[in-house]
Amino acid sequence: MDLRFRGAQPSDEERAAVDDLLGPPATAWEGGSRTDTDLRMAARAEAARDLLLPALHAINDRVGWISEGALEYICRRLTIPPAEAYGVATFYSLFSMEPRPRRVLHVCTDLACQAKGAQAVRDRVEQRFGPAGQDWHESPCLGLCERAPAALALEAGQPHRAEVYAPATPDTITTITGAAPGTNGHAPSVNVAGETPVKDAVPQAGRPDLVLLRRIGVVDPASLDDYRAAGGYTALRRAFELGPAGVIREVLESGLVGRGGAAFPTGRKWEATARQPDHPHYLVCNADESEPGTFKDRVVMEGDPYALVEAMTIAAYATGCAKGYLYIRGEYPRAVARLQHAIATARSRGLLGDDILGKGLSFDIELRRGAGAYICGEETAIFNSIEGRRGEPRSKPPFPVEKGLFGKPTVVNNVETLVNVLPILERGAQAYAAAEPKLFCVSGAVERPGVYELTFGTTLRELLDMTGTTGTTRAVLLGGAAGAFVTDLDIPLTFQGTRDAGATLGSGVVLVIDDTVDMKRMLLRIAEFFRDESCGQCVPCRVGTVRQEEALHRLSRRVDDSDLVLLREVGQTMRDASICGLGQTAWNAVESAIDRLGVFNR
């Protein structure tokens, strides 16, 4: 691909996919037919680069891959150099720049699935369809860990389709058919088949003492009336009573911190953004939960989508944001469908848009799908992705509250953080803080995997007593691939309690490992994951993740002290010098397995 156009032409289907998104081109300068007016005057190109990712999705969803002609047509429509668009399109794993079948199977081979037999599924698929790369791909975590092992089939068309296999067995997914799937009836853009009721992912569903999960399995997630009858929009009305400053004060007094892993005080972030004189302000909901073993945000979005819409509206009101972006994983088709429906319904009922509830608040939400990039869970990488650039992290400072999306003050919170705002306003900061809820994603060698809601301070042992364990528990991975293995089950599940134990609460991953799991293979999978997901921007991470994997391959064959020394040096360098959390945490789980589990002891 060149800096200049090479004259490749899109097919009629590709052109239609882009025009359906952007509208027909107005002039030849945007890819339309040339007229006498175009020959006399060049139209001024308006900035529209932020539509690049949706345009790439439009082609990929309709055709299954992105041809050179299709990419050039997108570039003409958006006035983007072809080389830059090519760099973006090749950054994401769900896009292909080479011809491939319309139906592609993604087989999860990540941690939770590996611990539950994904290797047998993978081997059978390879036997049936040949090497990975065309009909099927090995996939990082699909966020279906409570039903591991899992697979996801994506089929291009109009509309495009998604079919979930979870739990997957060698027999159930090796017959890929074109049979029409059932639909969930909630979104015109995608049909979703193979999904089980979302309440099945919540073993506690229906319990009256739940806070964040109280509506899941109880109300119809597609019905705004059901949501309101179950207490929905009470928090927003309370927010209007308090005023923006009052809402921020309640969030500050509640002690709420971010639930994506960094644990930064949410009220301080909101306060700092609200004070910025530069406008407009933007709100970004980070729903790109790609940490292996994490699926709580998916469950909330599928089972209680209006709660997220309401929480985003409150956050926007408090911080002065007129526009919100909900950035969601491309591997979550049912969550996308549910949120598209919820946003459209809320807008039609006056709960989004201009003058919400007659209170003078103008706020709307635009949903943006990711396309398979773990690094886009980093807050500044999301900005680049939304803006139509490669999803690479930015150096800080400046921080997002000063210069974030489109260079403007921006609030970034993940799904769980935002929905916690609702009980804070409904119950009051003090009552909330007295029994602060936290969601945990439990998978692996347990009898009842799923999302669990506990109050902070519950021990790991108490949680596992609720879930039940199978086999002989060897270790528990807390925090996902970026977390650490622990053997002490009496660790209190708080941010400080896990830090004191040399681990992290992270995004709430609790992956139970029994004695049937090959730990060397698991560590290799973690290393492969970070190698694949590194954006390559900084040397410590780009080189370090490769060297880490190479050393682990050698150690899995023969233990050599020099490789252990090298592994520690590489890990420490990544931790100290990487630009973002991916490289800084890529060594954590490996280090804990060596030190606590003695994986490479002679």
Side-chain angles (χ1 to χ4, degrees), residues 442-460:
V442 185
S443 60
V446 295
E447 296 173 355
R448 294 174 292 279
V451 177
Y452 285 80
E453 180 183 310
L454 304 174
T455 55
F456 275 111
T458 304
T459 66
L460 179 56

Side-chain angles (χ1 to χ4, degrees), residues 506-542:
S507 55
V509 174
V510 178
L511 175 60
V512 180
I513 307 296
D514 65 17
D515 54 4
T516 66
V517 174
D518 184 339
M519 287 302 303
K520 292 181 181 179
R521 174 172 286 185
M522 178 158 285
L523 294 185
L524 274 172
R525 176 57 200 146
I526 291 173
E528 290 168 358
F529 173 80
F530 283 114
R531 178 209 64 199
D532 290 341
E533 298 297 338
S534 172
C535 73
Q537 182 179 194
C538 69
V539 172
C541 180
R542 181 177 71 241

